[in-house]
Amino acid sequence: AQLHKLGELLGAERVVLASFQRQGDEWLARARLLSMDSAHAPKDFKVASTNILDVAERLTGHILQALQATPSEAERRRLRERMTGSPVALEWYSKALALACEGRPRAEQDSCYRHAIESDPRFAAAYDQLAALLATEGKWEEAENIAGRALELNPADLYAHRVMGAS
């Protein structure tokens, strides 16, 4: 009921809820496509793989097919872009985000972001999040250095520019 209210508030025709979890060596993703119009029944999707990046791509494909959406070439290129090519880096990054949502200590989040960067030194989003975390702790010099690295990787990175502007 709350999702329908949120969908209506946003003016959305549909809402997608998704969850990812690890079960042994496999990643399992479940998604539900809800229509704000009660005439359409919800559609459920389930995808599993040992590679979380493949899971996300396959789940996106199922959702696009259910929506009968045909992305433009530019949209397809954007969908193929990955934040990182490393499933290990993405796992560390996701773990850090989950810790933040749970209100866990910043030191745990910091460690996870650093593991993500160690796993993929070109993972700009991990640098962004680490820089922002350091800035909230008043560690401005280190935050600037980390944000600077993100900008080397992606000069248009808005999050890194925000950290640089705040310091």
Side-chain angles (χ1 to χ4, degrees):
Q2 288 182 334
L3 282 174
H4 283 292
K5 287 181 185 176
L6 178 62
E8 289 172 10
L9 180 67
L10 295 173
E13 292 179 26
R14 295 174 189 87
V15 175
V16 177
L17 296 174
S19 68
F20 290 79
Q21 69 182 80
R22 190 163 196 158
Q23 293 182 336
D25 289 340
E26 275 199 329
W27 282 97
L28 174 65
R30 296 174 197 263
R32 174 168 270 201
L33 177 62
L34 297 168
S35 175
M36 297 300 99
D37 156 358
S38 59
H40 296 92
K43 293 183 181 177
D44 294 316
F45 309 97
K46 182 178 168 184
V47 177
S49 174
T50 55
N51 185 329
I52 191 171
L53 300 170
D54 292 337
V55 168
E57 281 183 15
R58 290 174 41 209
L59 188 59
T60 300
H62 289 310
I63 292 168
L64 288 171
Q65 186 176 22
L67 292 171
Q68 298 178 336
T70 305
S72 68
E73 184 55 39
E75 290 168 329
R76 280 194 289 276
R77 272 195 309 276
R78 180 80 171 112
L79 285 168
R80 285 190 301 266
E81 287 178 12
R82 291 180 169 178
M83 295 169 61
T84 175
S86 167
V88 173
L90 185 59
E91 186 171 349
W92 280 113
Y93 178 81
S94 299
K95 201 175 286 188
L97 294 176
L99 290 170
C101 289
E102 294 168 3
R104 300 284 296 273
R106 289 185 177 138
E108 291 179 43
Q109 298 166 46
D110 181 296
S111 175
C112 289
Y113 288 129
R114 290 179 192 277
H115 282 299
I117 291 166
E118 183 179 301
S119 299
D120 179 1
R122 300 197 49 78
F123 190 1
Y127 286 99
D128 288 342
Q129 293 296 325
L130 178 58
L133 182 68
L134 293 166
T136 62
E137 295 175 334
K139 298 177 181 176
W140 297 110
E141 189 173 329
E142 188 178 5
E144 281 183 11
N145 290 335
I146 299 290
R149 178 65 180 129
L151 288 171
E152 288 172 17
L153 296 169
N154 178 6
D157 189 322
L158 296 176
Y159 296 105
H161 280 290
R162 186 180 308 156
V163 169
M164 295 296 272
S167 58

